[in-house]
Amino acid sequence: MQLYDSVRKTKVPFEPIHAGEASIYVCGPTVYDDAHLGHARSSLAFDLLSRILKALGYKVTMAKNFTDIDDKIIKKVEATGKSMEEITSFYIERYLDEMQALGVQRADIEPKATESLQAIESMIQKLIDKDCAYIVNNGDVYFDTSKDTHYGEISHRVADDEETQSRVEHISEKRNPKDFALWKACKGEEDICFNTPFSKGRPGWHIECSAMIEKYFKGTEEYSIDIHGGGADLLFPHHENEAAQSRCATGHELAKYWMHNGFVQIDGEKMSKSLGNSFFLKDALKVYDGEVLRYYLNSVHYRNDFNFNEEDLLTAKKRLDKLYRLKKRVSPGKGSMVNKNFKQVLLDAMSDDLNISTALAVIDEMIANTNDTLDANPKDKSLKKETIANIEFMETLLGFGGKEPFSYFQIGVDDALKEKIEVLVAERIEAKKTKDFIRSDTIRDELIAMGISLMDTADGTVWEKI
RNA sequence: GGAGCCAUCGCCAAGUUGGUAAGGCCGUAGAUUGCAAAUCUGCUAUUCACCAGUUCGAGUCUGGUUGGCUCCUCCA
């Protein structure tokens, strides 16, 4: 397995800290609002990684956190009058539902900041004890970046404190401009805060991830986990800060490999809440099938930026349709053995830093070859069985193609419509028998107007929702 | 102001250690079909934003130009 490591900026062989095991921690969402396509892409990218590692025989432990203590959540509490717990549990549930619709496997560990306060507090205390952090007058605790000689090595940002070109105004109480808050003291009466020896307050964002990783993973002398992932925007400052804290608190590095996924863009621009061009998953799922979205969002290499548009999505759907038509052709039945070569070539492609494009090309080739053979010999039972097995393997590996093929082509068709279609199709078959082609073509046009496409095959007439 | 990424056919998109351009969509010609649809087959980039350089040889390496994006602020 070769992975692109964002820190070394090159593909490197994956050599886990414990042989045969892979520990992955991905930065999850802050649960104060609905998930958008960007969350989906990140989730999908690391879901793919986890599936590939599993297929290669690794025992994968995947963690994805929920940041459920945050300024934005507190703002939402103030705005809605609801409790913090009400808000966060609502969005967590919705997030999980949506990810399920996309075929994302649940993480093995889903830590929440609220459930990790003990770990957070003790890590901050450790940093204070080691003189890597300091408390200022109002009770805030800051990490002292000058104490970490390796600060900047994750994001390759030189710690040039002289040159403070940052657009941010710096709080004067910080010793260095790059220092960041580990703990924020509470400001008012109704503020949400927790008691600690250093002050009443709440954790900063960065420390949450570091503490949760320490809490849930055993690690080694050298590293806490194998792979740390997240969106490309987290590289700095979030991951840089995480790495610094963990290094200072534990004496070892946080992760052996760092992976970052590219952005989803709308009209060539990063999708973000501040730009107001967010495309929420809940809206996308109303219009498109989750599996199609998955196929589409995963069809571009995870590190590239992804420009979302409907035309490309429809193209991706056409490609997926072909797979399901083949599945329809070889169903029903039990699969035999996966074609060895197919399996190997697919695994090879995905083992190369998740080269999905090559993998999809391999699948398209398998589809064409199988159709070709089936055209020549429609009753090739062993090929049908092998194809079923191939598709099953592919589904486990990549997470699409698992639906029952006939129902796939009927997504969005209710029972009443279905009955109507069946009646028309039967009527058309009768008309065809008597060679009344005018009548049969009229019926076909009628169905097309309803968004239904017909196919006369050797096994009879089948229909698809377009 | 500082840091980084990217630029391959009409569209989407592979192409690690330099060796002579995958795949999909669209288009087109044919097989098949009552006609379609589906399926299959053939065709569709002497060329990889541009300009120099290194090399026997560069999409792949070096330098520069242009264009796009991102990070430095919460952010997947």
Side-chain angles (χ1 to χ4, degrees):
Chain A
M1 183 74 173
Q2 292 254 324
L3 295 174
Y4 183 89
D5 179 46
S6 312
V7 173
R8 277 167 281 187
K9 295 193 177 195
T10 182
K11 281 185 202 172
V12 291
F14 177 62
E15 287 154 357
I17 53 182
H18 297 290
E21 297 177 23
S23 48
I24 309 173
Y25 181 95
V26 182
C27 289
T30 300
V31 282
Y32 71 100
D33 202 355
D34 285 303
H36 56 228
L37 257 21
H39 293 106
R41 177 140 144 99
S42 176
S43 208
L44 248 12
F46 292 101
D47 178 62
L48 205 52
L49 174 68
S50 151
R51 284 170 184 264
I52 306 310
L53 288 170
K54 281 178 192 166
L56 291 171
Y58 291 98
K59 186 180 175 297
V60 176
T61 306
M62 167 86 121
K64 184 156 67 178
N65 73 298
F66 288 110
T67 299
D68 62 350
I69 305 174
D70 180 87
D71 289 358
K72 295 217 166 128
I73 298 170
I74 292 165
K75 266 186 196 155
K76 198 118 184 174
V77 168
E78 286 164 1
T80 60
K82 288 182 183 157
S83 74
M84 190 163 93
E85 211 276 330
E86 267 180 285
I87 290 168
T88 57
S89 62
F90 175 82
Y91 287 114
I92 287 173
E93 203 168 308
R94 180 170 259 177
Y95 177 89
L96 291 172
D97 283 349
E98 288 167 348
M99 290 310 153
Q100 190 183 27
L102 294 176
V104 173
Q105 295 176 337
R106 284 285 290 264
D108 304 290
I109 306 166
E110 291 172 344
K112 295 176 195 162
T114 49
E115 292 168 357
S116 311
L117 286 161
Q118 201 62 50
I120 292 168
E121 182 189 320
S122 76
M123 187 176 257
I124 296 176
Q125 192 58 57
K126 213 179 271 180
L127 288 167
I128 294 172
D129 294 345
K130 288 190 172 182
D131 196 32
C132 292
Y134 53 93
I135 311 170
V136 299
N137 287 331
N138 69 2
D140 286 354
V141 181
Y142 286 97
F143 180 83
D144 188 342
T145 50
S146 69
K147 294 285 164 62
D148 178 21
T149 51
H150 295 287
Y151 192 79
E153 288 181 5
I154 297 293
S155 59
H156 301 286
R157 234 162 267 260
V158 237
D160 50 348
D161 284 354
E162 322 288 315
E163 202 63 40
T164 323
Q165 296 283 12
S166 175
R167 294 172 297 183
V168 200
E169 285 299 313
H170 298 289
I171 300 164
S172 52
E173 283 193 281
K174 280 201 219 175
R175 291 181 189 166
N176 313 291
K178 290 216 160 89
D179 291 358
F180 53 90
L182 296 169
W183 189 261
K184 295 175 178 178
C186 46
K187 305 284 185 296
E189 277 300 305
E190 63 275 27
D191 214 354
I192 286 154
C193 41
F194 310 90
N195 256 321
T196 65
F198 25 93
S199 73
K200 253 181 114 177
R202 60 176 183 274
W205 177 39
H206 312 301
I207 194 74
E208 295 180 8
C209 289
S210 286
M212 289 191 275
I213 288 170
E214 284 314 308
K215 180 178 170 185
Y216 290 102
F217 291 94
K218 54 184 175 183
T220 62
E221 298 277 306
E222 274 185 292
Y223 303 99
S224 299
I225 53 168
D226 290 307
I227 301 168
H228 191 136
D233 50 351
L234 299 184
L235 187 55
F236 188 87
H238 187 52
H239 290 166
E240 187 73 62
N241 291 352
E242 274 185 49
Q245 295 159 353
S246 292
R247 193 156 40 225
C248 295
T250 69
H252 59 247
E253 289 297 314
L254 182 58
K256 196 167 180 187
Y257 306 91
W258 295 79
M259 294 175 73
H260 295 89
N261 64 276
F263 295 119
V264 174
Q265 307 191 328
I266 303 280
D267 297 326
E269 263 195 336
K270 176 182 172 179
M271 180 175 68
S272 76
K273 279 162 192 162
S274 45
L275 285 172
N277 60 352
S278 294
F279 194 162
F280 292 107
L281 210 39
K282 61 171 180 180
D283 298 321
L285 285 168
K286 277 180 203 157
V287 195
Y288 314 111
D289 181 59
E291 188 178 12
V292 173
L293 269 174
R294 178 192 178 91
Y295 187 97
Y296 176 48
L297 287 170
N298 259 351
S299 69
V300 175
H301 187 86
Y302 74 92
R303 265 187 288 125
N304 289 150
D305 280 343
F306 187 101
N307 197 253
F308 187 94
N309 77 60
E310 186 157 10
E311 195 189 325
D312 292 345
L313 184 142
L314 260 23
T315 300
K317 181 182 181 301
K318 281 183 190 170
R319 221 172 162 181
L320 221 206
D321 287 349
K322 284 173 86 162
L323 172 73
Y324 271 107
R325 280 197 197 100
L326 176 66
K327 191 170 183 182
K328 204 158 66 171
R329 210 173 168 183
V330 298
S331 295
K334 279 224 168 101
S336 53
M337 286 287 284
V338 192
N339 181 290
K340 271 192 178 166
N341 184 258
F342 175 72
K343 180 176 176 176
Q344 195 53 51
V345 177
L346 260 194
L347 279 176
D348 285 349
M350 294 310 288
S351 298
D352 180 16
D353 192 36
L354 311 184
N355 190 330
I356 190 72
S357 294
T358 301
L360 294 182
V362 169
I363 291 166
D364 285 335
E365 196 187 349
M366 183 277 284
I367 294 171
N369 288 340
T370 310
N371 273 321
D372 197 17
T373 310
L374 250 25
D375 280 355
N377 183 9
K379 301 225 162 114
D380 191 337
K381 274 194 181 166
S382 73
L383 178 63
K384 285 190 178 182
K385 281 176 181 281
E386 183 186 277
T387 304
I388 290 169
N390 287 348
I391 295 174
E392 274 170 9
F393 173 73
M394 189 206 72
E395 197 268 328
T396 320
L397 192 68
L398 304 175
F400 59 80
K403 283 200 175 76
E404 195 285 310
F406 288 91
S407 64
Y408 171 84
F409 287 110
Q410 299 177 3
I411 290 167
V413 177
D414 59 37
D415 286 348
L417 182 59
K418 205 163 160 177
E419 201 175 318
K420 202 170 160 190
I421 294 165
E422 303 288 358
V423 170
L424 286 168
V425 169
E427 198 183 320
R428 178 168 168 276
I429 290 169
E430 282 309 308
K432 276 182 46 156
K433 268 187 193 161
T434 60
K435 298 213 186 300
D436 183 358
F437 294 124
I438 295 173
R439 178 66 192 139
S440 72
D441 289 353
T442 308
I443 294 171
R444 187 166 63 198
D445 289 344
E446 233 175 279
L447 285 163
I448 286 169
M450 290 159 65
I452 303 299
S453 154
L454 292 186
M455 280 150 233
D456 294 331
T457 73
D459 300 322
T461 300
V462 292
W463 58 272
E464 292 180 1
K465 175 97 171 66
I466 300 167

